[in-house]
Amino acid sequence: MPKTSRKKFLIKSLYLITSLSLVERGFRLTSELKAETKFPESLPEGQNPVSESDPTAKALGFHQDAKHTDFNLYPERKEKSAKNQVCKHCAQFSKLNENWGKCNIISAGVVSSRGWCSAWSQKS
Ligand code: SF4
């Protein structure tokens, strides 16, 4: 392969990789925004939803909508028994209204009653 053609190939590959990573990041941001603005009408006054990119939330695989859980990371979430394992049934959840509450573990805002993270434990 001539030197110029190899150089062009490398430059095109670099453009492609950069473009793909930007597109992937765009999709991820869009889905996070959708999840965070899903129930804005019932958001308690003065409260903000926990961002799914918050370090604690991310480390715990938190999503404002449990349906967006990474099922590759948490395959047990696909089981029928996990259906009711959402924030509103979690021991760490304190209800603020029908859709939102405070979490004792992820405290950087409010969590949706339909959320889930890997620290979930049954409310007694
Ligand atoms: S600890 Fe419980 S209330 Fe807090 S985010 Fe996880 S599942 Fe929801």
Side-chain angles (χ1 to χ4, degrees), residues 5-49:
S5 143
R6 192 176 317 149
K7 189 176 174 183
K8 279 183 186 174
F9 172 77
L10 287 173
I11 289 171
K12 281 183 181 180
S13 298
L14 200 60
Y15 277 125
L16 183 66
I17 290 167
T18 305
S19 301
L20 287 175
S21 66
L22 287 174
V23 168
E24 192 264 336
R25 177 144 173 73
F27 278 128
R28 202 177 321 143
L29 282 174
T30 303
S31 68
E32 282 180 16
L33 274 175
K34 272 186 193 168
E36 289 172 9
T37 57
K38 198 161 189 165
F39 322 108
E41 69 284 344
S42 61
L43 199 58
E45 200 170 322
Q47 299 287 340
N48 291 312

Side-chain angles (χ1 to χ4, degrees), residues 29-75:
L29 282 174
T30 303
S31 68
E32 282 180 16
L33 274 175
K34 272 186 193 168
E36 289 172 9
T37 57
K38 198 161 189 165
F39 322 108
E41 69 284 344
S42 61
L43 199 58
E45 200 170 322
Q47 299 287 340
N48 291 312
V50 166
S51 168
E52 292 176 2
S53 54
D54 171 83
T56 307
K58 213 169 181 171
L60 293 171
F62 173 75
H63 283 280
Q64 294 285 8
D65 186 338
K67 290 177 187 161
H68 295 146
T69 299
D70 183 341
F71 295 106
N72 291 323
L73 268 177
Y74 305 102

Side-chain angles (χ1 to χ4, degrees), residues 60 62 85-88 90-94 102-106 111-112 115-121:
L60 293 171
F62 173 75
Q85 292 179 3
V86 290
C87 290
K88 71 179 172 186
C90 178
Q92 304 302 328
F93 186 79
S94 303
K102 293 292 280 180
C103 169
N104 291 330
I105 295 175
I106 305 173
V111 295
S112 159
W116 177 86
C117 86
S118 59
W120 185 89
S121 62

